[in-house]
Structures are given as structure tokens and as C-alpha cells.
Amino acid sequence: MIKSAYIHIPFCEHICHYCDFNKVFLKNQPVDAYLEFMDVEMKNTIDRFPTQHLETIFVGGGTPTALNQKQLSYLLESIQRNFDVVPDIEYTFEANPGDLSLEKLRLLKEGGVNRLSFGVQSFNDDLLKRIGRSHRKTDVFKSIEHAREAGFDNISVDLIYSLPDQTVEDFQDTLHTAFSLGMEHYSAYSLIIEPKTVFYNLMSKGKLPLPTQEEETSMYDVLLNEMEKHGYHQYEISNFAKEGYESKHNLTYWDNESYYGIGAGAHSYTEGVRRANHGPLKKYMDSIRETGFPYKEEHVVTREERIEEEMFLGLRKTQGVSISRFERKFDAEMLNILKGPIEENIQKGLLEQQGDFIRLTKKGKFLGNEVFQAFIGAI
């Protein structure tokens, strides 16, 4: 059963130097037409892949809150029209600090949105400028204050560490400022340099002074210790929450469950098939006009691939992968068909068995990619 929907708004007023998501500058784009075609995609998708009800909706980007009031209202009505937005659903909007007015926040709340995810990244204004962010530290405090005033009591803040010239002390300062906000959820990711980004081009020219591997490891160690000290439990490699505020939407991905992907460049996983939508707006809209769907490619996931995904996605969770759930799902004994990589990584001190779960050790969290790679082609 499909429990989640991801909806992609590709428009941005500024392009961050590290971002490789599907996005375009907002100015002079066919925003209204795009929203109308997305409405058609939602309807056609539900008709083709019906589900009883959704448990999570996540609107990401791009910058969803870059839409004006009228466009935002249309999007919210479109989502409500096509999906069953019940009161207990987890309904998240990504937002940029500084471009989210109190009026927009109230509109989101009235439209059923009950969770916000702010892309803060850092509280160092010099670093924010350097990575191409348009907001500053004071904007974050103002946006959070307005969000609380509008009635939001489930807010997440995204942070990035291992930024150019960033020190361990600077990241620690950012964490202390973040904790002063008292958010319900924090995500913190190490910077990854992706192709076709400003940072990639700078790195190729030797003009991107990044922290050393040892400094990055120290930042992650500080992250784990500070989150625990401040009462946020780690439930995934990069995610921390107060009890009961874990991201149900992201858990859909890590549990390797089915989900809708709506919008240009979005990905979906339904009925054992992974689909990727066209990214360019014209191709996206033309494809819907011609066929009713925007699919660029479709891949039927083999049993072996599903097992690989079950492991390298599920091991991101601190709880790990349930042995009994695995066996029900695949009618096979995990500790038998994956004996080699499991035993090898247990011997290395990177994996451990805790009751019904195989999970990363603390050492394994620092070397997660090495562990995940061990399950590729293991069957």
C-alpha cells in the first residue's frame, strides 16, 4: 500500500552553490502552468495507482515557499483535491528562512500543513553568504517566531557541516544556536560535492578549501554528543528528534516502502517499479500533455535489488533492519543469504545484532557507506 507522496516545486529565487536538485530560477518561469500540469499528474497517478489513504505528504524543492499567495493557495487546494488530507497526516513543507511571511504561514496551516522543514544550514553569516544562501541568522529567528505564531508545533531545521573553511568550533557554535531554538527535529548532513554545481566547478579548479577528513569526522562526533546531551535521540544517521517527532515521511524511504513522486524530476516507487519524471519543465509538461504521465524512465526492481535496498536503506536507521520483517518480506533468512557481508562487518566492528535487528555500531555510523557497499551484489 502506498503511504506517502513527495511533491516537487523546482522554483528558486537563488541557487545555492552546493545544490544539485532539479531547480530553476523562479523569474519568468511558467509557474501557473506547471502547477496545473502537476494537478493533472496527481489525478492520473491516483487513478492508475490507487491507495486507501496517505500517512505523509512532503512538499520539497526547489523552494515551495517561493510561490506567491495565489499560487500557494492553488497548490494546497490541488493537493487536498487529489489526496485525502486527514487531520492526523504528517504534512510537511520545506521553507527558506526569510522568504516566508506570516500570511503564507497562516495559509499553509489553514491548508492542512502541520510540519515545516527550514533549510538553515548554518548560523554563521559569512558561511551562509559563501555557500550561496540568501538568508542570514536573524532571518531564522524571525521565521521560527512567525511559524510558532501561526500555530506550527512540529518544526525541523536542516544543517550542513564540513563546509568550506568551516572549523569544528564553528560547527559547535551553530549547534548551540540551533538548540536555543528548541526545535522538535534536526537534520545534519555532511557536505557532498555534486557535479554541475558551483562548488564542483570550484573544487575542480582547486579553489574550494574543504575541512580534512579528520575534521569532518570530529564534526560528526560533536554532532552525536551534542544531540544526545540536549535530549534529541538519533533515529537515522543524519536525523535527530524529540520523542514522537521523527520524520514519518523519510522513514518511508528508509523502510523501503512505496511512495508517489509528483512534479518535475521527482522519483516514485509503486508496484515494484521505480520511475523518474522528466526534469526540464517543458519536457515534463509536454509528456503529461501527450501521455498523461511525465515518466522519463521506468525500472522494474528485481528481488536481488529489493534486498540490497532493504539493507542499505534500512541500516541508515539506528534501529537497523528487522530480521523477522526481512524474512516475512522476502521469504528468506537474512542471516543465511547475507551471511558473508553481515559476518564480515560484525568482525570489523561496524555491525552488530541487537535482538531482532542488525544495525550499525557507533564505529559503523562513521563508515556507513563502506557497510552499505558490502551489500551491493552480495546475492
Side-chain angles (χ1 to χ4, degrees):
M1 184 175 70
I2 302 167
K3 298 179 180 179
S4 298
Y6 173 78
I7 297 166
H8 190 73
I9 306 299
F11 308 109
C12 288
E13 294 184 281
H14 303 274
I15 303 297
C16 302
H17 298 341
Y18 54 84
C19 180
D20 73 327
F21 294 126
N22 188 50
K23 77 280 182 187
V24 293
F25 280 112
L26 176 66
K27 191 175 181 180
N28 299 324
Q29 294 295 337
V31 180
D32 293 346
Y34 175 78
L35 296 176
E36 290 170 5
F37 274 100
M38 222 169 44
D39 182 70
V40 173
E41 186 193 359
M42 285 185 224
K43 181 182 184 303
N44 291 350
T45 299
I46 288 289
D47 288 343
R48 182 172 173 182
F49 308 108
T51 192
Q52 290 182 344
H53 70 278
L54 294 179
E55 295 181 4
T56 76
I57 296 173
F58 193 105
V59 183
T63 312
T65 50
L67 301 178
N68 64 35
Q69 292 275 119
K70 183 179 178 182
Q71 292 161 346
L72 202 54
S73 181
Y74 178 91
L75 173 61
L76 291 166
E77 290 170 5
S78 175
I79 292 170
Q80 286 191 324
R81 185 165 54 249
N82 289 288
F83 297 117
D84 187 16
V85 182
V86 295
D88 63 345
I89 197 172
E90 181 191 86
Y91 189 174
T92 306
F93 252 70
E94 282 187 338
N96 272 355
D99 70 4
L100 193 52
S101 66
L102 184 56
E103 290 73 26
K104 282 187 181 179
L105 283 161
R106 286 172 173 158
L107 181 62
L108 292 176
K109 198 75 172 67
E110 290 167 5
V113 179
N114 52 26
R115 185 175 184 271
L116 296 174
S117 178
F118 281 103
V120 173
Q121 319 315 359
S122 174
F123 286 97
N124 180 321
D125 283 350
D126 291 335
L127 266 181
L128 288 170
K129 184 177 180 180
R130 187 164 187 178
I131 65 178
R133 298 294 286 175
S134 59
H135 74 270
R136 296 296 177 261
K137 177 179 177 178
T138 55
D139 295 322
V140 179
F141 286 89
K142 187 175 181 180
S143 292
I144 298 297
E145 181 184 346
H146 283 165
R148 294 300 195 198
E149 186 178 342
F152 286 94
D153 56 9
N154 188 356
I155 302 176
S156 178
V157 159
D158 282 2
L159 303 172
I160 299 179
Y161 60 94
S162 198
L163 295 167
D165 280 328
Q166 187 178 35
T167 65
V168 175
E169 291 74 23
D170 174 82
F171 181 56
Q172 198 152 23
D173 288 343
T174 274
L175 286 175
H176 287 162
T177 304
F179 292 133
S180 74
L181 292 166
M183 298 293 89
E184 288 72 32
H185 186 283
Y186 293 98
S187 299
Y189 303 96
S190 172
L191 176 69
I192 298 175
I193 308 299
E194 301 285 3
K196 300 180 181 179
T197 63
V198 172
F199 274 175
Y200 183 84
N201 293 334
L202 288 172
M203 186 177 72
S204 301
K205 297 174 183 176
K207 296 181 179 179
L208 192 68
L210 296 172
T212 64
Q213 184 65 52
E214 291 74 18
E215 288 172 319
E216 181 180 333
T217 299
S218 294
M219 289 181 200
Y220 187 60
D221 195 36
V222 165
L223 174 69
L224 298 185
N225 293 333
E226 290 295 320
M227 286 292 173
E228 183 177 4
K229 189 167 82 175
H230 285 82
Y232 294 88
H233 77 95
Q234 183 184 26
Y235 68 100
E236 190 268 348
I237 286 179
S238 302
N239 285 269
F240 308 81
K242 291 181 179 178
E243 200 66 42
Y245 287 95
E246 302 82 359
S247 170
K248 296 176 184 176
H249 184 84
N250 285 340
L251 283 167
T252 298
Y253 302 142
W254 301 321
D255 285 337
N256 202 20
E257 301 287 356
S258 297
Y259 54 89
Y260 298 119
I262 305 294
H267 291 72
S268 60
Y269 184 32
T270 57
E271 298 182 350
V273 180
R274 293 197 180 277
R275 297 175 175 85
N277 289 358
H278 286 288
L281 299 190
K282 187 175 185 307
K283 285 189 176 181
Y284 170 80
M285 294 188 289
D286 284 349
S287 183
I288 293 177
R289 186 184 292 112
E290 293 163 8
T291 70
F293 295 94
Y295 305 142
K296 176 180 70 173
E297 56 188 48
E298 300 180 83
H299 173 69
V300 178
V301 184
T302 66
R303 182 174 183 273
E304 289 75 16
E305 289 170 331
R306 287 172 57 220
I307 289 173
E308 291 172 1
E309 292 173 353
E310 191 79 10
M311 298 306 294
F312 68 69
L313 290 171
L315 284 172
R316 292 191 62 88
K317 300 179 296 179
T318 53
Q319 185 182 46
V321 181
S322 165
I323 298 170
S324 58
R325 182 176 181 271
F326 180 99
E327 293 177 355
R328 288 194 303 272
K329 200 168 183 178
F330 299 105
D331 193 26
E333 295 184 7
M334 180 203 292
L335 301 182
N336 181 22
I337 64 172
L338 295 173
K339 180 179 179 180
I342 290 175
E343 288 189 350
E344 178 185 345
N345 281 284
I346 287 177
Q347 289 171 5
K348 289 180 179 179
L350 304 179
L351 283 180
E352 64 183 1
Q353 182 174 350
Q354 181 80 16
D356 184 47
F357 291 87
I358 296 293
R359 67 181 190 180
L360 293 174
T361 61
K362 182 173 182 179
K363 179 182 176 183
K365 291 175 184 176
F366 289 86
L367 298 168
N369 288 336
E370 179 182 322
V371 180
F372 305 152
Q373 189 65 35
F375 291 95
I376 306 299
I379 299 177

